[in-house]
Amino acid sequence: RKLFSKANEKLFAKQNGKIMRDGFKHEQYLTITDANKQVLITGCSHNGIANIIEKYAEIHNGSFDQLNGVIGGFHLFNPITKKYESDELITKVAHYLAQYDVKFYTCHCTGMKAYNILKDIMGEQLNYLSVGIKIELA
């Protein structure tokens, strides 16, 4: 797995009656297709937004041709502990995402500090999502 939150190493799940490190394989993502355009919707991306993008590519035979938007948190901030991932990891995530011709919309668990670092690198490719915002993907 790439660009994965170190904080997730402290999260556990009960599987088959045993307590194990949570691999977040239970996380679900949604792809909506309309008029040959796709939007990938994630939750908090505990599995890592880069890993989710890689899984999308795997499912779509390595193609990003139809992917126009990704909406979801990037799990770079923990609102309970108020701690961010390292600036180094956030920067790596930004460079990874910037390589795709896709609009990204992120929200709460990205955190404003991380969002600002991402925004400096990704520019208009990244937008902050909050209640009441309407998104139109061209």
Side-chain angles (χ1 to χ4, degrees), residues 41-102:
I41 301 174
T42 74
C44 289
S45 302
H46 291 109
N47 198 26
I49 191 65
N51 298 309
I52 295 166
I53 297 287
E54 293 289 323
K55 187 65 175 178
Y56 172 91
E58 179 186 319
I59 291 168
H60 293 89
N61 299 315
S63 175
F64 291 92
D65 293 343
Q66 293 183 321
L67 187 62
N68 284 43
V70 176
I71 301 170
F74 293 170
H75 194 61
L76 299 171
F77 172 69
N78 183 328
I80 295 169
T81 64
K82 307 290 188 228
K83 292 185 181 179
Y84 282 89
E85 291 298 323
S86 70
D87 289 0
E88 178 184 9
L89 177 66
I90 296 167
T91 300
K92 286 180 180 180
V93 168
H95 287 290
Y96 176 84
L97 297 177
Q99 71 182 317
Y100 299 104
D101 186 22
V102 173

